[in-house]
Amino acid sequence: MRAVTTSPPPPPPDPAPSGPAAVDVVLPCLNEAAALPWVLARIPRGWRALVVDNGSTDGSAALARDLGATVVPEPRRGFGAACHAGLTAATADVVCFCDCDASLDPSLLVPFTREVLDGEADLVLGRRRPQRRGAWPAHARAGNLALARMLRRRTGLRLHDLGPLRAARRAPLLDLGLTDRRSGYPLQMVVRAADAGWRITEHDVPYLPRTGASKVTGTWRGTWQAVRDMSRVLAEPAPRAGEGALR
């Protein structure tokens, strides 16, 4: 069974991190105008924010552009569709992912990218730790716990969360051949990375109440749909012996 490292929240980064250069941060976005200023202000200096507009009607794309982000249009609705559009538009060696709803601070990705660039891990995930009451609704937390248990049975990984804050190298991510374009995309990334023999670690990160209503886990129905999407991912057959080596 693979060992997965967990740790306390990483120390706050410097106000203007000199950190690794050439990092792209993919920010899937659907009507997040209220959160964008907070999120984009926390992108580390020298990194590029790729705001993937997934059909916003609140001016998110124009606002993101005005705030200095690169806007990637993705008309096909779906969290996975937006994430993958950002990944294919990225050009940096290391690509990060972060929600665009102000629930997670993208500056916390600095130590994640260092871990990847130093060769200590192939995929680094953030384990969400709610900072306020109501930041993570009970139904969403229950669904996440159930999926973590199913993931453990499928891959042997002892992860606690399948959160959206993560970092990895772009080329190997593309080589995973991710196909889910809905809520199963983050899980499929982890499953296929595990099948390929990647070293996967997770670290605690503060989780804040999001700005606006969740498009996925804001309701029991949305959570159930997400669990269904992810259950289909977990049903994918594992590779046969010798087929999952990291390239």
Side-chain angles (χ1 to χ4, degrees), residues 28-245:
C29 176
L30 176 58
N31 295 329
E32 302 289 7
L36 275 169
W38 187 93
V39 174
L40 294 178
R42 285 161 176 77
I43 298 294
R45 183 176 298 175
W47 293 17
R48 182 172 64 150
L50 295 175
V51 174
V52 185
D53 183 53
N54 204 204
S56 299
T57 58
D58 67 346
S60 289
L63 176 60
R65 198 173 288 112
D66 289 344
L67 292 172
T70 298
V71 175
V72 179
E74 175 47 68
R76 179 180 176 181
R77 286 291 181 91
F79 183 77
C83 287
H84 203 70
L87 175 59
T88 56
T91 57
D93 180 27
V94 174
V95 176
C96 300
F97 296 83
C98 181
D99 275 355
C100 204
D101 58 10
S103 63
L104 292 163
D105 186 341
S107 69
L108 296 175
L109 287 162
V110 171
F112 286 31
T113 61
R114 289 189 183 130
E115 192 170 349
V116 171
L117 289 168
D118 289 346
E120 298 171 3
D122 303 303
L123 176 62
V124 185
L125 308 172
R127 179 187 183 185
R128 291 168 289 184
R129 291 293 199 176
Q131 300 299 295
R132 303 176 196 166
R133 189 178 185 86
W136 200 353
H139 57 270
R141 196 179 305 194
N144 188 74
L145 178 61
L147 286 166
R149 289 174 175 170
M150 288 189 285
L151 176 69
R152 185 177 304 178
R153 288 196 295 268
R154 166 65 172 75
T155 66
L157 283 172
R158 290 186 171 275
L159 291 174
H160 300 86
D161 189 14
L162 298 169
L165 200 70
R166 52 188 62 193
R169 291 187 183 271
R170 178 178 57 87
L173 277 175
L174 289 170
D175 286 344
L176 292 178
L178 302 177
T179 56
D180 191 279
R181 296 297 181 263
R182 293 168 57 93
S183 301
Y185 187 88
L187 176 62
Q188 188 179 57
M189 182 187 296
V190 174
V191 169
R192 293 198 177 181
D195 288 345
W198 288 27
R199 296 160 299 167
I200 302 173
T201 62
E202 68 174 2
H203 303 294
D204 293 350
V205 293
Y207 191 50
L208 305 171
R210 61 158 291 134
T211 299
S214 172
K215 286 78 174 176
V216 178
T217 57
T219 64
W220 278 101
R221 181 178 180 180
T223 298
W224 173 241
Q225 182 61 57
V227 169
R228 286 182 60 189
D229 291 346
M230 295 182 184
S231 295
R232 283 194 290 268
V233 170
L234 289 169
E236 292 181 358
R240 290 172 294 183
E243 291 183 347

